[in-house]
Each structure stands twice: as structure tokens, then as C-alpha cells.
Amino acid sequence: MKTCCVVVIGHVDHGKTAIVRALTGTDTDRLPEEKKRGLSIVPGYAHAVYPSGIVDFIDVPGHEDFIQAMVSGANGARAALLVISATEGIRAQTLEHLEIAAALGLEKAIVAVTKVDLLTREEREHRMAEIRHALSDTDLEDAEMIACSALTGEGLERLHSRLEAFITQPSHRAGPPHAFLPIDRVFNLAGRGTIVTGTLRGGALASGAQARLMPPGVTVTLRGLHTRGEEREIVQAGERIAVNLRNIAVAQITRGAVLCSGGDHGPSHCMDVAFTRPSRGACTLKHNEQLRVLIGTASAVAQVRLFRTDAGGATYAQLRFQKPVVGFAGQRAVLRRLSPQQTIGGAIVLDPQATPARPN
């Protein structure tokens, strides 16, 4: 069955979790602290079944303090559902989430303008025009906007229709030739042992097969595979997956680890990249600057060594990491300043196992 992974993004308290619950019947806020605070802290997961296939939703946190969790959840998505509250309009994290979505190369997007039941018709029309104008200088200037309400159900049928259309649209995202699973969660399940979860990229994974966990660089056996609560023998790229691992303990798996079935995906301290410019403002990277790099589910500090900017405006550079990370050629990463903490653009990996360039 065909699937499509959609990340749900937007400013905090704009109704992302409520609209996912209205679409799927699943409450993605599962932690007690999330219930208590009324906001998402970690990515939540749900799905909807359509005649064309399945849409997997990743409901990521909207608060600025949880950007790493947002990027970690969005890293395997193919499309985005941007949620904007009709009562507030576009806010700071709306724009930052848009920049992150662009940096990650998300191919398609829909804008859901929620809570329209709280506005009069005149207020609604004014807000929709205001949002359209604000999006005019972003990658979503031509994206479809759907007025909706999780409370009354207005707009949900149209939203379902547009989401289902994502399933049959071809993907042109770069991926490795082998299975590549950036791990976003690891835990121990009584009677089964170590479980890891993530959004699968590249090739398929099969139950009973072996794979490499990077780091620490050990071979593990895939004891079992689960998607959407069901046991599977094979899981294809693009799906959310839980993997039961044999021969490794939870404590051995570090944040940002990757489960891969083949290829040379060893940890690397050095990557050659091409920078992608932010949608707002000019690229202001400096030679030897220290940046926070969010790649897959990993977060690492790297020193930037600028190479050149070509006639088309593309900037090439090398990232020197303080700790090793795992990536593949074509993978996209998000770049953030350390202070003040802000997203400044993205990068496309050209060589994940680069040789350090000599100092200038």
C-alpha cells in the first residue's frame, strides 16, 4: 500500500494537535507533562487510511525551545501541513518552521487556517488575506489555504482530500540506496527488549535480517518490525517504524544514531556540503564559524570552513564536527546559530566522508 509521511508544523498553540486529532481520531500528546502544560514537547504520531493509501502524520512541537525535536520529527517527512491559527495569524515560529521545511527540502505543503469558527465572516476574510500576503515571500506563496475548525469540522473533508492527493504524487527526494533509519526514540519493552523508532529512508527493512547500528558500529538482528501498531515482515521507505533489536542494550544507543542495512554509513567528523540560503534575508555565514547542525535526528556543533560561492550563488563548504555524525550524500541538514539561537539556513551533504581540507 502506498504511503506518505506528512509533518504538521506551526507556532505553539495554533491547533496542530487538535487538527490531527480531528483528522485521525488520535491524540498525539501522550506524555503527562504535555497534558499538564497543554503543548507538545516531543513529536507525536497518528495516521489516516484513504482509498489511495495511508498518510502518516508527525505532529511536531511548535515552541521555540523544542526546535531540535521539531527537526528530528520532520527529517523523514515528504510533505508538510502548516497550521496557522485564524485568531493570531502568522507568528515567529510559523516563519522559522517554514524555513526549516525549506531547508529539509519538503516537496509539498498545505496551509490549514484553524479556529475559523471563532471569527466573523468579515474577520475571517481579512485574516485569510493577511496570511496569504505574509506567505507571499516564502516557499508557500502558492500553497493552498484551507479554512477549517477542529471543533465544528468545517474544512476537514477538503483537507482530507488534499492530504490523500499527496499519496499518489511521486517523490523526488534524494535517499540512500540502502535502508537508513535515523533513530528518534529508544526504549525497553518488557518481554521484547530494545525498541527503536524512526522514519525509514532509502530501502526496505525485513524482519529477521541484520543491520548495522552507527554508532557504536555493531551488527544487530531485527527481531521484529511494527508500523501503526501492527507487526510487519517488511517495511518500505517512507513509513514510520518501530524495530525490536536483538544483541544491544538501550544504554548503548546514543541520540542521533542510525540503523542501516548496507553502504558506507560510518560516523564522520567531516562533511562537504552545499549551503541553501534562507527564505528571509541573505546568507551571512563566516569562515571558521561554529554552528549547530541538525541532521537526521542528530544535533552536533560543527566548524564551518567556506570554500567558494559560484556564479549561481551556491556556497560550498566543509563542516568539521566536534563529535562524529552519520549521513548520506544528498541528505539535508538544518543550520542554526549558537547565540542567539536561530535558524539561518540549510545544507545538502555532498560527501559524508570528506577529507579535511588544509587550513587557508
Side-chain angles (χ1 to χ4, degrees), residues 67-85:
I67 286 294
Q68 182 179 342
M70 180 267 171
V71 177
S72 176
N75 87 91
R78 180 151 61 93
L81 174 61
L82 173 65
V83 177
I84 302 174
S85 168

Side-chain angles (χ1 to χ4, degrees), residues 3 6 51-52 57 176 241 266 283 350 355-356:
T3 65
V6 176
S52 300
F57 294 93
I241 180 176
C283 184
L350 303 176
T355 301

